Amino acid sequence: MPKYIHDNISKALIEYGKIIKGSKILLLGIAYKADINDLGESPGIELYELLKKSGALIDFNDPHVIEFEDKEGY
């Protein structure tokens, strides 16, 4: 599912004459389930990493997750 969402974000940006690389993207909610800070198996993490790999400038907002470390240490 994260790859599907990544591709749709890319298509949407292209429709507006933009590309993922350098685009600022805000992910709302990154935890696996609502109202907890569980990141285990979260598709949000995979989406974050896919967008980051594509060169997007990613930030996230989740009231239950203050910070996390992705595979590259961000």
Side-chain angles (χ1 to χ4, degrees), residues 27-61:
L27 298 178
L28 299 175
I30 197 124
Y32 182 63
K33 296 180 181 178
D35 300 326
I36 61 172
N37 64 354
D38 181 14
L39 293 175
E41 300 180 30
S42 173
I45 302 293
E46 186 178 345
L47 177 59
Y48 178 96
E49 291 171 349
L50 285 169
L51 291 168
K52 190 102 174 142
K53 188 183 242 184
S54 295
L57 306 172
I58 306 297
D59 204 353
F60 73 93
N61 186 310

Side-chain angles (χ1 to χ4, degrees), residues 2-21:
K3 177 73 171 129
Y4 173 79
I5 294 169
H6 172 275
D7 293 346
N8 280 338
I9 290 170
S10 180
K11 288 176 190 175
L13 286 169
I14 289 170
E15 286 180 22
Y16 287 95
K18 300 186 182 281
I19 58 173
I20 286 183
K21 186 174 184 175

